[in-house]
Amino acid sequence: MILIPCVAPCCSAAVWDVHEQVAVSAMECGCKELALKLVKNVHKRFPEGARGSRLTGMYFELMLSPNEARSLYQKELDRDPNNPLMLKRMVGLKRGQGDLAGAAELLKQYLSAQGSQDWQAWEEAADLYLQLQMYQQAAFCFEELLLHAPADATRHLLYADTLYTLGGAHNWRTARTHYSAVIEMTRGQNLRALYGACACAAQLAGTRRGGSGGGEGEEEEGRRAAQAPQQQ
Amino acid sequence: MKSCTLSEDALLKVLLHAAKHPTTAVNGVLLGTVSGGDGAAEVSVTDAVPACHSFISLAPVLEAALSQLEAHAKEQQGTQSGLRIVGYYQANERLSDGELGAGRRFADRIEAAWPHSVALLLDGPALQAGLAQLTAAEGQAGGSGGSEQPVAQLFAKDGGRWTKVAAGGSGGFRCPTSGVVSRFAQLLGEGRHQQLHDFEEHLDDIALDWLNPTLLAGPA
């Protein structure tokens, strides 16, 4: 955390980017004094503006003053109702307050209106829906993410896990397809995919052990992979 | 269920698992023994095995952990007779959240497969208060910790619903309180929570021992 606090507000805009990044990191670590110092500096340099308000609002949230944060974000949203920074902060605020349904609804509106290419927002939406146990909606979010990055094994795994949790023969078959895709992508090295494929085969066969057809081959691989040495 | 006794080691493992992943919810499985039949079951939780630290509402990782633990418990019958899966634990993302949420579904499935199983939830506010009390006591030289509250809540299945079981006194939940928070703070200070590995980490690196058998051994 090397910040040069002695550097006077100079012409370089990069210094303020660094202020912002370090302030956010300090808040994540709970370093309240450092965060306050940085947020004050930013506010002095940029008294108006959404980016500055975002940092100040985040500091209010850290200090457990959600109402101050909310009114700050709302003030900015009154000026520009489509400001993505403020909309996302509102989602974060609602999530921090435990209003997951409200956060998910707000995020859904943002994604429908302007955020369809905002992949971080889709990931956040998927996370919120999973916490709300709205697995169908979470699966939809993962589908969008897969369209964007079809070679991302992690997204395939999350999508397959969501379908498996949702349950039903159709979902287990689709999940098995995605687990198989990850096994192929990783040349059989991904244990989660191997376990997932075994679990789908077992569910489809209706028993805890044994599969049928292609499921048997996958189970054998899963067994072999699962026989890795355990520490004593 | 008549009563449930939680061992200090199991509770510390739950706390360390939550401490290793402070920004997400975590869950895991409880191991122990059950004696007595319906209505008079006495559950003794002797170990906590961490399972997931990301997307705990997804089933596959927990299910794989459960089947591995079932096999592990069978293998241990020689040294620890009667060892079995006795419950599910969870620590929520937000400290103030005192609900099982998605964990209720998993607790139901575990209880259906392993009768008399319980569900344990980390009590965020109690833990916060305990740590604050500890800091204040350390500030006053020679000060005592004051009254210590249990830092976990227990739920037991009662006619299809999960109901909270009161701790201490006439309640059925025997939760260790004396010195738990200070031992936890000491382990945290040593960085012991970084040495804990859950099943999810084991899936990424199979050499990591997710049973954490020697985690709490040694001075603390």
Side-chain angles (χ1 to χ4, degrees), chain B residues 127-172:
Chain B
L127 181 62
Q128 248 182 332
L131 287 168
Q133 220 169 38
L134 189 70
T135 317
E138 277 168 1
Q140 310 157 18
S144 68
S147 71
E148 296 187 47
Q149 296 295 314
V151 294
Q153 292 171 15
L154 190 82
F155 294 84
K157 202 88 186 275
D158 179 18
R161 295 184 61 200
W162 287 95
T163 49
K164 221 183 271 193
V165 179
S170 57

Side-chain angles (χ1 to χ4, degrees), chain A residues 95-96 98 100 127 130-131 133 135 158 161-162 164-165 179 191-192 195 203 208 225-226 228-232, chain B residues 55 57-61 63-64 67-68 70 93-94 101-102 105 199-200 202-204 206-211 213:
Chain A
R95 182 173 179 162
L100 298 183
D127 192 14
L130 284 176
Q131 288 203 37
Q133 300 173 69
Y135 297 106
L158 284 170
D161 283 350
T162 308
Y164 179 88
T165 311
Y179 286 130
L191 208 47
R192 290 177 76 141
Y195 267 119
Q203 293 282 10
R208 286 181 71 94
Q230 268 246 341
Q231 289 174 15
Q232 288 177 12
Chain B
F55 303 105
S57 52
L58 293 176
V61 173
E63 279 190 16
S67 51
Q68 289 285 340
E70 201 182 5
E93 186 181 82
R94 284 180 318 282
R105 202 171 145 169
F199 189 66
E200 227 182 293
H202 167 77
L203 290 178
D204 292 328
I206 209 163
L208 297 174
D209 190 352
W210 59 295
L211 297 172

Side-chain angles (χ1 to χ4, degrees), chain B residues 6-185:
Chain B
L6 178 64
S7 76
E8 189 175 300
D9 281 2
L11 181 57
L12 284 170
K13 278 191 177 175
V14 172
L15 292 171
L16 289 171
H17 190 204
K20 186 171 184 182
H21 305 283
T23 57
T24 62
V26 297
N27 67 7
V29 182
L30 302 171
L31 295 179
T33 55
V34 178
S35 55
D38 288 332
E42 298 199 4
V43 180
S44 169
V45 179
T46 54
D47 197 8
V49 183
C52 308
H53 60 266
S54 58
F55 303 105
I56 66 160
S57 52
L58 293 176
V61 173
L62 187 64
E63 279 190 16
L66 284 167
S67 51
Q68 289 285 340
L69 278 173
E70 201 182 5
H72 168 73
K74 277 203 186 101
E75 277 172 23
Q76 298 297 307
Q77 291 308 308
T79 43
Q80 296 178 65
S81 168
L83 185 71
R84 52 161 266 192
I85 290 173
V86 295
Y88 166 83
Y89 80 77
Q90 183 172 301
N92 287 324
E93 186 181 82
R94 284 180 318 282
L95 282 176
S96 53
D97 187 354
E99 300 293 322
L100 276 174
R104 195 175 301 270
R105 202 171 145 169
F106 300 135
D108 279 337
R109 288 203 206 154
I110 290 173
E111 208 276 334
W114 293 277
H116 309 297
S117 286
V118 295
L120 194 73
L121 190 64
L122 182 66
D123 188 341
L127 181 62
Q128 248 182 332
L131 287 168
Q133 220 169 38
L134 189 70
T135 317
E138 277 168 1
Q140 310 157 18
S144 68
S147 71
E148 296 187 47
Q149 296 295 314
V151 294
Q153 292 171 15
L154 190 82
F155 294 84
K157 202 88 186 275
D158 179 18
R161 295 184 61 200
W162 287 95
T163 49
K164 221 183 271 193
V165 179
S170 57
F173 177 33
R174 291 185 202 113
C175 180
T177 50
S178 168
V180 167
V181 176
S182 66
R183 193 166 167 219
F184 170 57

Side-chain angles (χ1 to χ4, degrees), chain A residues 7 16 27 32 44 63 71 78 84 110 126 151-152 154 188 191 198 211 219 225:
Chain A
V7 173
W16 300 106
M27 287 191 251
K32 297 175 183 170
K44 219 165 34 176
M63 300 307 286
S71 54
D78 289 341
Y110 165 71
D152 187 336
T154 313
L191 208 47
C198 290
E219 230 200 43

Side-chain angles (χ1 to χ4, degrees), chain A residues 47-117:
Chain A
E48 302 290 330
R51 257 174 101 171
S53 297
R54 172 180 168 259
L55 270 186
T56 313
M58 284 173 80
Y59 182 75
F60 282 138
E61 287 184 60
L62 173 70
M63 300 307 286
L64 303 175
S65 307
N67 294 328
E68 273 90 338
R70 187 177 295 112
S71 54
L72 197 57
Y73 300 149
Q74 196 54 56
K75 196 173 94 181
E76 293 295 333
L77 281 171
D78 289 341
R79 265 189 238 172
D80 176 11
N82 295 321
N83 187 312
L85 271 181
M86 288 298 117
L87 285 170
K88 288 199 254 191
R89 272 313 329 142
M90 273 297 216
V91 171
L93 179 65
K94 283 184 187 280
R95 182 173 179 162
Q97 296 299 296
D99 179 13
L100 298 183
E105 185 54 41
L106 199 55
L107 196 49
K108 182 176 139 192
Q109 286 167 16
Y110 165 71
L111 287 167
S112 323
Q114 52 172 308
S116 60
Q117 304 294 308

